[in-house]
Amino acid sequence: MKKLFFLAFITIAFTAAAQDDARARIGIKGGVNFSNISKDKDGNIDKSNMLPSFHVGLIADVPLGVPIISLQPGLLLSGKGAKYEIGDGTMKLKPFYLNLDVNLLLNIPFGDDFKVFAGVGPYGALGLFGKLKTEGTILGIDVNKDFDIKFSDNKDDIDRVEEYAHMKRFDVGANLTAGVVLSNIMLSANYQLGFTKMRQGVADDNDDKGKNRSLSISIGFLF
């Protein structure tokens, strides 16, 4: 089901971006992410802290026939993750995703070259690569080691520390975004609320634990 959602997002975004509309613009953007993963209730993680990363990629701005409404798809390489405290040790989980946002925007113009916007929409994310960096004593094991993140939707037989480097490949969630456009320059903030429990073997029940959370600050240029 998550794969179908992800493919649907791609279809919506690039169909919209390909519309023959003289006012549609494409661009690039990048910036910093402040990410976390809501703490599991399994008792192993003592604390989950924010971890900085970055994002970079392509965006489009496509008017939808009404001057104040537009669609803004974006395809980004985006780093997420968290810094876990477990006993006397720490883990830095640093996954990178191909992230597709599709935001419906309300635009408020102030003159010809300045507007304020706010919007909401879904996102889909495909896990690409990443690292788990460990230090100290974790779950009774002395560790100072890096693990490659392994993305899969099937739980494997893995040891107690390395299991944190096994994550589900697909994530879906919701965006909230707001910003300003001054001529060709765009400044924006975006918050992503993940719906998927990202650790393998953790059930997707209705609580908010084990899910991606990310605040992004971006600068972009529209052509």
Side-chain angles (χ1 to χ4, degrees), residues 56-137:
V56 63
L58 302 173
I59 56 172
D61 188 68
V62 184
L64 295 181
V66 179
I68 63 170
I69 303 295
S70 64
L71 195 67
Q72 188 185 87
L75 188 63
L76 308 171
L77 175 66
S78 186
K80 300 184 183 181
K83 180 180 178 181
Y84 293 147
E85 296 180 14
I86 303 176
D88 295 323
T90 62
M91 292 183 177
K92 291 182 179 179
L93 184 64
K94 299 180 176 182
F96 282 85
Y97 295 86
L98 182 64
N99 202 102
L100 178 68
D101 309 333
V102 185
N103 292 316
L104 185 66
L105 301 185
L106 173 66
N107 303 285
I108 302 174
F110 294 89
D112 294 334
D113 295 325
F114 181 75
K115 70 176 181 179
V116 176
F117 67 85
V120 63
Y123 81 83
L126 174 70
L128 299 177
F129 59 87
K131 288 283 188 182
L132 173 69
K133 298 179 178 290
T134 63
E135 287 184 355
T137 302

Side-chain angles (χ1 to χ4, degrees), residues 7 16-18 20 25 29 36 41-42 57 97 117 130 136 141-142 145 147-148 191 193 205 208 213 217-218:
L7 292 174
D20 186 14
R25 295 195 290 176
K29 80 170 185 177
N36 207 336
K41 59 183 179 181
D42 59 13
Y97 295 86
F117 67 85
I141 303 169
D142 290 330
K145 186 176 179 181
F147 300 93
D148 289 326
Y191 184 73
L193 184 72
D205 55 28
D208 65 349
R213 305 285 185 259
I217 307 297
S218 307

Side-chain angles (χ1 to χ4, degrees), residues 36-49 82-87 91 93 139 164 199 210:
N36 207 336
I37 297 176
S38 52
K39 189 167 78 72
D40 288 328
K41 59 183 179 181
D42 59 13
N44 289 335
I45 298 172
D46 298 322
K47 191 173 183 180
S48 184
N49 299 309
K83 180 180 178 181
Y84 293 147
E85 296 180 14
I86 303 176
M91 292 183 177
L93 184 64
L139 305 179
Y164 290 89
R199 287 216 5 234

Side-chain angles (χ1 to χ4, degrees), residues 1 3 23 35 55 59 79 81 83 92 99 104-105 111 115 139 143 162 164 167 175 190 197 201 207-208 213:
M1 182 62 70
K3 295 179 182 180
R23 296 170 298 167
S35 300
H55 62 276
I59 56 172
K83 180 180 178 181
K92 291 182 179 179
N99 202 102
L104 185 66
L105 301 185
K115 70 176 181 179
L139 305 179
V143 291
E162 192 178 354
Y164 290 89
M167 302 182 68
N175 287 305
N190 190 76
K197 289 182 177 290
D207 68 42
D208 65 349
R213 305 285 185 259

